[in-house]
Amino acid sequence: LAVDDATFSYSSGSYCKSASNPTPVISGLGGGTFSEGSGNISINPSTGEIDIATSMVGGPYSISYTTNGTCPITSAVQVSITANDDPAFNYSSAAYCQSETDPIPAISGTSGGTFSSTAGLVFISSSTGQIDLSASSIGTYDITYNTGGACPEDSVFPITINPDFDATINAAGPFCQGDAPVNMTAAQSGGIWSGSGITNPASGTFNPAAAGSGTHQITYDITGTCGSSDTVLVIVNPDADATINPSGPYCTDDFPVNLTAAQGGGTWSGTGITVPASGTFNPAVAAAGTHTIIYA
């Protein structure tokens, strides 16, 4: 009598740990029994299906098939089980501001893979995972790393990109001490103002009288994630004093006189003023009477 035909085969000689359970094709006599001597392979003895999840990584392991006919025979094929790649990686933070230094991830698993992001809205290097923050859109994205090896795996790290606030203060002043209070402004609202002369930190009200004459440092802070701060110098000049010193009365034949005031540098006007810069008043030109003299 001829011996049985124990021919059988699996679709591959090597399987990744994450692969679906393979079942052999029996091209010889069916109805036999499968086994694996080392105990490292979990195998169904009647179908030859290998339970990949509970089998040990390694090999090659010898899978035997023994027919159950009149003249039984045993044949064997070699099967290996390979561990899946380790896709572990991480960034130093889960949130970044657009102005920060572009982050590069640390790969703690299998290197040489490829990076990508959801929706393609993050500018990312596929080989290094470096994110171009300034060119990326605001939002939260999943960064995926695929090992790309013989038994590839994916892992995901969520990244949030936040907008930078702009606290740039708009130019203001110089002011005179007697000027009315004004509200300082900046590129973006919502911050807090501080400094000499600031009477309302929320609105940025600056009161020149409260500040006093001099140069004052004003600061504007926008707090929170990706906050911003700016500082400017605001000048307050003292108010001029145009108080005219008492003069007269005069007779129409008196000599011209130079009128004076608390502060110099102004211009004189009115009846009898012949030199506006020096305030020369000529009683003869003014003639008899009461005259209004203005100094500004």
Side-chain angles (χ1 to χ4, degrees):
L1 296 174
V3 295
D4 296 339
D5 181 0
T7 304
F8 77 104
S9 64
Y10 287 90
S11 60
S12 173
S14 179
Y15 294 95
C16 296
K17 190 65 174 173
S18 60
S20 299
N21 294 341
T23 301
V25 174
I26 302 173
S27 53
L29 181 66
T33 302
F34 292 88
S35 62
E36 193 281 318
S38 71
N40 292 327
I41 294 291
S42 299
I43 190 167
N44 185 310
S46 60
T47 65
E49 180 183 8
I50 299 173
D51 187 344
I52 296 290
T54 58
S55 296
M56 299 291 291
V57 170
Y61 301 113
S62 181
I63 308 295
S64 298
Y65 174 61
T66 302
T67 62
N68 194 27
T70 304
C71 299
I73 193 172
T74 299
S75 64
V77 297
Q78 305 295 307
V79 170
S80 297
I81 297 179
T82 303
N84 284 83
D85 293 341
D86 179 3
F89 80 103
N90 70 284
Y91 289 88
S92 61
S93 174
Y96 293 95
C97 303
Q98 280 189 305
S99 61
E100 288 190 70
T101 301
D102 293 341
I104 300 176
I107 301 173
S108 54
T110 306
S111 60
T114 302
F115 292 89
S116 61
S117 68
T118 52
L121 294 178
V122 172
F123 283 81
I124 187 170
S125 168
S126 60
S127 58
T128 67
Q130 182 174 13
I131 298 173
D132 187 341
L133 295 171
S134 62
S136 297
S137 299
I138 303 304
T140 299
Y141 310 99
D142 285 338
I143 307 300
T144 300
Y145 176 62
N146 180 277
T147 60
C151 294
E153 282 287 344
D154 290 342
S155 62
V156 175
F157 193 98
I159 287 288
T160 297
I161 300 177
N162 295 305
D164 288 291
F165 290 110
D166 185 357
T168 302
I169 300 173
N170 298 323
F175 300 102
C176 292
Q177 246 182 304
D179 287 346
V182 297
N183 287 338
M184 304 282 289
T185 60
Q188 284 184 263
S189 60
I192 297 297
W193 298 84
S194 61
S196 178
I198 294 295
T199 58
N200 188 322
S203 63
T205 303
F206 176 76
N207 188 333
S213 62
T215 300
H216 306 283
Q217 180 173 291
I218 303 300
T219 300
Y220 179 60
D221 291 302
I222 304 177
T223 58
T225 303
C226 306
S228 180
S229 179
D230 190 27
T231 298
V232 296
L233 298 177
V234 175
I235 297 173
V236 176
N237 295 312
D239 290 320
D241 186 354
T243 303
I244 299 173
N245 296 322
S247 183
Y250 299 102
C251 295
T252 56
D253 59 353
D254 285 346
F255 289 107
V257 295
N258 288 337
L259 300 178
T260 61
Q263 283 183 254
T267 299
W268 298 83
S269 61
T271 304
I273 295 296
T274 57
V275 182
S278 63
T280 302
F281 175 76
N282 190 329
V285 173
T290 301
H291 308 286
T292 299
I293 303 300
I294 298 173
Y295 177 63

